[in-house]
Amino acid sequence: MYSVVLIKGKTYAVMGHVFLVNQVKDVEKKVFQYLDGNEFFNCTEVKAPVDDPKTDEPVKEEEEPVQEAKTYTETELKGMNKTEQEAIIIDLGGDPSQLKDKSERIAFILDHQQQQEKTGE
């Protein structure tokens, strides 16, 4: 398992991951290798003890997508800054540069959240 923390800047998107400053994120080996040595990141390899029975249970991996699939309300989105909204848009598979202003970003997020709820993603 590999852990990455953005230590400089506000957000950074790479290989399908969006990193927010000071947020610890578990990543796969290829993302770790790509970011290791980058001055904007603190990258660590987390080794589980060999005789720890918890290593056989993928509990943490199953919980993580549930946390990322948070449904935001319009009020929450209005209270966020541009960078936070753009990070959500990237998580939803969108391109923030295609959206002109705050109202378009909020509309995009709300629309894509509804689509994901309908498709069960």
Side-chain angles (χ1 to χ4, degrees):
M1 178 189 300
Y2 302 92
S3 179
V4 177
V5 179
L6 178 64
I7 56 174
K8 292 183 182 178
K10 292 183 181 180
T11 62
Y12 192 95
V14 64
M15 296 182 174
H17 294 279
V18 177
F19 300 93
L20 301 175
V21 70
N22 296 325
Q23 180 184 45
V24 178
K25 192 161 188 169
D26 294 334
V27 296
E28 57 274 6
K29 185 175 184 176
K30 69 177 184 177
V31 177
F32 170 80
Q33 290 173 332
Y34 180 80
L35 295 174
D36 194 28
N38 184 323
E39 68 182 60
F40 285 79
F41 290 90
N42 182 4
C43 303
T44 55
E45 183 175 358
V46 181
K47 295 184 179 183
V50 176
D51 41 309
D52 186 357
K54 293 180 183 177
T55 58
D56 295 334
E57 300 173 22
V59 176
K60 289 184 181 178
E61 292 177 15
E62 290 177 14
E63 289 176 2
E64 191 172 316
V66 174
Q67 292 172 353
E68 290 182 18
K70 180 182 183 332
T71 302
Y72 298 92
T73 64
E74 186 172 355
T75 305
E76 288 176 312
L77 294 169
K78 285 181 179 178
M80 292 180 181
N81 64 34
K82 180 180 178 181
T83 305
E84 293 170 320
Q85 292 171 348
E86 288 178 344
I88 296 168
I89 291 167
I90 292 168
D91 279 343
L92 292 170
D95 181 4
S97 65
Q98 299 296 317
L99 305 170
K100 296 177 187 171
D101 57 21
K102 186 174 190 171
S103 62
E104 283 190 15
R105 289 191 300 271
I106 292 171
F108 177 91
I109 294 168
L110 294 173
D111 182 51
H112 279 73
Q113 284 181 153
Q114 285 179 336
Q115 289 177 5
Q116 285 185 349
E117 287 174 8
K118 288 178 184 177
T119 60
E121 291 181 3

